[in-house]
Amino acid sequence: MAGGVVVNNGGGKDYPGKLTMFVLFACIVAATGGLIFGYDIGISGGVTSMNPFLMKFFPAVYRKEQEAEKNQSNQYCKFDSPLLTMFTSSLYLAALVASFFASTVTRVAGRKWSMFGGGVTFLVGAALNGAAKNVLMLIIGRVLLGIGVGFANQSVPLYLSEMAPARLRGMLNIGFQLMVTIGILCANLINYGTAKIKGGWGWRVSLALAAVPAAIVAVGALFLPDTPNSLIDRGHTDAAKRMLRRVRGTDNIEEEYSDLVVASEESKLMTHPWRNILQRRYRPQLTMAIAIPFFQQLTGINVIMFYAPVLFKTLGFADDASLMSAVITGLVNVFATFVSIFTVDRLGRRKLFLQGGIQMLACQIVVGSLIGAKFGFSGVADIPKAYAAFVVLFICAYVAGFAWSWGPLGWLVPSEIFPLEIRSAGQSITVSVNMLFTFIIAQAFLPMLCHFKFILFFFFGAWVVIMTLFVSFFLPETKNVPIEEMVLVWKSHWYWCRFFRNEDVHVGADVEMPAAAAANGSKVDPAKLAY
């Protein structure tokens, strides 16, 4: 496998234990943290395509839209409004800032209380948005929603990766992305229904119903157990041992417990995780924590999911049809995520990344070409229904490719690669980079659509080529590797091994550490590592 390393049975370790109902239930409850993120992604695009919402808060956009439809003027530019995109993207700036505070809460108080805080804050933001009288109220509500998203996205993937058995970590962690896709689908269905409410207040229902997933997250967090990793790190060693027995369903937990203790002891030596994360030995993980969420946003997926109704309106669909098309992409998103759930721990992360990248690239080329052939650079065209349906088909194929690759893996891989001592800080960097570029893309998309026109799809396609090559050469395979032994994967990679010294790696007192690969001048157990 060019540029990668495959680790069999967790680098030689295969901790005893099984997937217990206790762990499965805890992971399902924790994964509901993804509902608030997904609901917001889906709801914001839907309400911004509702005329009563635009008339009340963004009348200039409404007039521009009506003018474009009346005069058949440039369809690419009819939604271009800095204020409208600020409404959508203000949430992501707030989430970016909140993720740094969430890091401290997650490390000091535990993962569950960070989730709880996120749910409660999102609940308040939903109430403000539903009752909004002016744009200021809308944006303040969006900021509170963003704080909730920042806390949930920082803590949930960590919780899932720490609770799951190594062999099933991918499947259980992707539960977070599954909930994101379910949140998007529910939002699209709700928008489809509320758009039909007479009186023009349906958008209030759409925004206020964000309180439902927020309440699910907040209440669910109260019943979650702490992870053994977090309990050990906070000095509750006896409770951690009891919890580890319970989550693994066996009394034979000494080997895994020993690794967790070693990781915790090393973690306690590090008083400044934000400064220490810049050390050379953490360079591989830090690179991935920045590159993966950066690339995830440059796939172009949020262009589709944020503005799916707007995009379909631009393609010539009527109001109801555009929302219905968004519902269709939402369904594709949910079902395709199940493909990732059932394959990620068998095929591995790299194969899904690479296959998904190729599929997305092909679809972007086709969609860009189809839109370009009809609209050209003028942005004026009358698209036949069959032609528009063909465009939707390839958009759905694109969404499917994302939903089983960059969507779930963009959260899974960063959450499983960091050692305990910098894990919370590393996850905060992942969330903040994700939110920063979500904000930038959300803010820039409508002006880019106006100026780039159909070339925009080729722009994102070029980024998909870059990120697929990056994964091919620089991302090692992490499936089945115990989370506290992940450092061995990096030390055995053809490129990242140069950033490690043997004394930098600690995986437990009773573990013979396979250093770098033999090709790099170190001894390696061939039963544990294979290129």
Side-chain angles (χ1 to χ4, degrees):
M1 227 186 265
V5 56
V6 179
V7 179
N8 299 316
N9 297 323
K13 279 286 186 69
D14 192 5
Y15 297 131
K18 57 188 177 182
L19 177 60
T20 63
M21 288 304 297
F22 178 74
V23 168
L24 182 61
F25 179 74
C27 286
I28 290 171
V29 172
T32 59
L35 285 174
I36 60 176
F37 188 34
Y39 188 87
D40 181 80
I41 290 173
I43 219 72
S44 57
V47 296
T48 52
S49 73
M50 294 181 187
N51 287 336
F53 178 82
L54 293 176
M55 288 168 65
K56 181 171 180 62
F57 296 107
F58 306 99
V61 177
Y62 175 73
R63 287 193 299 270
K64 200 172 183 181
E65 177 191 350
Q66 296 303 305
E67 214 172 283
E69 290 178 2
K70 183 180 178 181
N71 303 325
Q72 286 197 323
S73 59
N74 192 332
Q75 296 291 301
Y76 292 120
C77 299
K78 66 182 182 180
F79 288 99
D80 185 14
S81 163
L83 192 59
L84 179 61
T85 50
M86 178 57 75
F87 160 73
T88 301
S89 55
S90 56
L91 177 147
Y92 301 98
L93 271 186
L96 187 161
V97 176
S99 67
F100 291 104
F101 293 97
S103 169
T104 302
V105 174
T106 301
R107 182 166 48 87
V108 174
R111 284 61 168 144
K112 61 177 285 182
W113 293 112
S114 190
M115 289 181 227
F116 176 76
V120 169
T121 312
F122 198 91
L123 188 63
V124 177
L128 259 181
N129 270 180
K133 300 292 184 185
N134 50 52
V135 175
L136 180 62
M137 276 185 76
L138 269 184
I139 292 180
I140 291 173
R142 292 286 292 172
V143 168
L144 290 172
L145 294 177
I147 293 171
V149 167
F151 270 77
N153 287 16
Q154 202 279 340
S155 53
V156 172
L158 283 187
Y159 184 94
L160 295 172
S161 286
E162 290 181 349
M163 286 294 278
R167 294 188 303 277
L168 298 172
R169 188 174 59 244
M171 181 187 79
L172 292 175
N173 188 285
I174 290 174
F176 173 75
Q177 179 67 15
L178 177 63
M179 291 296 178
V180 172
T181 63
I182 290 173
I184 293 171
L185 176 61
C186 289
N188 288 335
L189 289 168
I190 287 166
N191 281 335
Y192 185 67
T194 58
K196 297 178 181 297
I197 294 176
K198 293 179 180 178
W201 50 271
W203 60 269
R204 289 195 183 276
V205 178
S206 291
L207 294 177
L209 281 177
V212 175
I216 291 171
V217 174
V219 173
L222 292 175
F223 295 95
L224 286 176
D226 268 315
T227 68
N229 312 62
S230 179
L231 288 168
I232 291 173
D233 206 33
R234 290 182 289 130
H236 306 299
T237 53
D238 290 339
K241 221 167 199 177
R242 289 194 300 272
M243 183 57 65
L244 193 57
R245 288 193 187 98
R246 193 172 183 190
V247 299
R248 297 296 176 250
T250 178
D251 290 332
N252 186 14
I253 48 91
E254 292 305 321
E255 188 177 21
E256 184 174 4
Y257 181 77
S258 172
D259 281 356
L260 295 180
V261 168
V262 169
S264 178
E265 288 171 353
E266 187 162 342
S267 170
K268 288 172 183 174
L269 296 175
M270 192 167 288
T271 54
H272 303 287
W274 288 105
R275 186 172 66 198
N276 290 324
I277 202 172
L278 300 175
Q279 291 178 9
R280 182 178 174 83
R281 60 176 164 156
Y282 301 125
R283 196 72 48 78
Q285 297 97 322
L286 181 60
T287 299
M288 294 301 161
I290 295 171
I292 289 177
F294 167 74
F295 285 140
Q296 187 191 51
Q297 296 312 307
L298 285 169
T299 57
I301 186 61
N302 281 347
V303 170
I304 301 294
M305 303 315 291
F306 276 158
Y307 301 109
V310 173
L311 190 62
F312 289 126
K313 256 192 177 181
T314 301
L315 287 173
F317 285 76
D319 291 2
D320 282 356
S322 70
L323 285 169
M324 195 64 230
S325 298
V327 170
I328 292 168
T329 59
L331 280 168
V332 171
N333 202 13
V334 171
F335 286 112
T337 302
F338 278 104
V339 174
S340 189
I341 286 175
F342 293 117
T343 60
V344 67
D345 290 315
R346 296 176 184 174
L347 296 178
R349 285 62 160 153
R350 281 170 49 83
K351 285 183 180 177
L352 288 177
F353 265 131
L354 298 175
Q355 189 282 329
I358 293 168
Q359 182 170 325
M360 286 190 293
L361 175 62
C363 292
Q364 283 165 320
I365 292 171
V366 171
V367 170
S369 300
L370 290 172
I371 292 177
K374 279 294 181 183
F375 283 110
F377 287 96
S378 68
V380 179
D382 184 20
I383 296 188
K385 285 185 179 179
Y387 195 94
F390 199 56
V391 175
V392 171
L393 176 66
F394 278 95
I395 286 177
C396 287
Y398 165 84
V399 170
F402 176 85
W404 61 56
S405 64
W406 280 91
L409 301 181
W411 294 105
L412 166 60
V413 174
S415 74
E416 67 183 0
I417 60 176
F418 278 97
L420 182 62
E421 64 266 21
I422 54 167
R423 191 171 296 153
S424 290
Q427 183 66 10
S428 289
I429 290 171
T430 297
V431 173
S432 62
V433 171
N434 188 296
M435 294 300 131
L436 174 62
F437 283 95
T438 302
F439 169 79
I440 291 171
I441 295 299
Q443 197 71 18
F445 167 63
L446 291 177
M448 287 173 73
L449 179 62
C450 183
H451 292 94
F452 282 27
K453 304 176 173 59
F454 66 91
I455 301 296
L456 187 61
F457 290 93
F458 302 130
F459 170 80
F460 287 116
W463 279 107
V464 171
V465 172
I466 294 169
M467 65 185 71
T468 302
L469 290 172
F470 176 84
V471 166
S472 177
F473 287 105
F474 296 108
L475 182 67
E477 183 55 72
T478 55
K479 71 170 182 176
N480 299 337
V481 184
I483 196 168
E484 304 306 340
E485 288 191 15
M486 197 63 69
V487 66
L488 303 180
V489 175
W490 301 102
K491 198 165 192 312
S492 302
H493 186 269
W494 71 273
Y495 178 77
W496 298 119
C497 63
R498 68 193 68 188
F499 292 92
F500 291 92
R501 300 170 302 172
N502 283 343
E503 56 267 31
D504 289 336
V505 183
H506 309 282
V507 291
D510 59 338
V511 180
E512 181 182 350
M513 193 275 294
N520 295 309
S522 301
K523 294 181 180 179
V524 63
D525 182 347
K528 296 179 180 180
L529 297 170
Y531 281 94

